[in-house]
Amino acid sequence: MAKQYSNDKTSAASGALLTLQAGQSGIDSQAAALPLMRNILSGIVETSEGYYLIRPLRRHEASERDFESVKAEIIERLRKN
């Protein structure tokens, strides 16, 4: 549906595929949590940027890394932003 009806051409081209990460702003965590836990399609989720249907495609287990192992990645992201 996104390919056919989205006003955002970039989003439409990808079928509105998003990569969500824990704590990501814009999408209410409660609205997203249930479908992610149950591996089902959500109801309509309204955000300031539009409407979403959320369906998990894959799940990655949480992990921890020490600061030294992510330091270079953090610096690179800060430079890009």
Side-chain angles (χ1 to χ4, degrees):
M1 290 180 68
K3 287 182 180 183
Q4 184 175 355
Y5 296 108
S6 180
N7 293 331
D8 180 347
K9 298 304 177 197
T10 302
S11 177
S14 72
L17 211 55
L18 298 174
T19 300
L20 297 179
Q21 297 178 7
Q24 182 174 345
S25 62
I27 296 180
D28 176 27
S29 60
Q30 286 184 329
L34 185 60
L36 294 175
M37 290 187 313
R38 293 190 177 168
N39 210 22
I40 60 173
L41 181 66
S42 73
I44 297 171
V45 178
E46 182 178 359
T47 73
S48 59
E49 297 176 355
Y51 298 90
Y52 297 87
L53 295 172
I54 301 170
R55 179 175 55 99
L57 299 178
R58 65 179 166 254
R59 185 178 178 149
H60 301 276
E61 293 301 318
S63 63
E64 291 184 21
R65 298 188 289 174
D66 63 70
F67 178 71
E68 289 303 318
S69 69
V70 296
K71 183 177 177 180
E73 182 181 336
I74 293 170
I75 291 170
E76 183 60 29
R77 285 186 185 186
L78 290 171
R79 285 185 180 144
K80 286 181 180 179
N81 292 332

